[in-house]
Amino acid sequence: MAIAGVGAVLALADLDSPLRAPFTLFFLLAAPGAAVAAALRGLEPFGRVVASLSAAVAVNLLVAQGMLAVHRWSARGGIAAVAALSSLILLLVLVRRLRGRTVRRRAS
C-alpha cells in the first residue's frame, strides 16, 4: 500500500519521476481493489482476487467515462475521484462490520 500511496502523491503533486506512471497505475488498481476485497471476505482467495481486480478496472472505467461525459477530464481529478470512491467503499464496509458486531452483542 506504500507504493500505491507514493504513486498517488507523485501524480497529485505532478512530480517528474520515472516511477510516477507505474506507481500511479498500481494505485489505480490497488485502492479500489483493496476496498472491494475487504467487502468480499466470504469468497475463496482466488475468486476474491479476480472479483476485486475486475471491480477495480470497472471503477476506473466508470470514473474516466464520467469525467469525459461532463468534459472535466484531468489526471489529478481521476486520481482524487478513485481515491474518494475507494475510501467510500472501505468506509461502508467498516460501518457494516461495526453494525454487525453491535447487533450480535445486543442479541447475546
Side-chain angles (χ1 to χ4, degrees):
M1 293 316 285
I3 293 172
V6 168
V9 169
L10 287 173
L12 291 173
D14 201 25
L15 297 174
D16 236 0
S17 171
L19 297 175
R20 183 172 117 182
F23 283 7
T24 302
L25 180 62
F26 185 74
F27 169 78
L28 289 172
L29 290 174
V36 171
L40 300 175
R41 268 195 319 178
L43 287 180
E44 293 180 14
F46 181 71
R48 193 172 176 184
V49 168
V50 170
S52 63
L53 282 176
S54 300
V57 170
V59 166
N60 288 317
L61 288 173
L62 289 172
V63 166
Q65 185 176 9
M67 291 176 71
L68 288 172
V70 296
H71 303 290
R72 297 285 180 201
W73 173 256
S74 74
R76 288 181 185 172
I79 299 286
V82 168
L85 285 173
S86 300
S87 299
L88 180 65
I89 292 169
L90 192 57
L91 181 67
L92 291 173
V93 169
L94 292 175
V95 166
R96 186 180 71 185
R97 284 186 188 168
L98 289 176
R99 265 193 176 167
R101 287 182 185 170
T102 305
V103 170
R104 279 188 233 137
R105 285 183 187 162
R106 288 183 186 169
S108 300

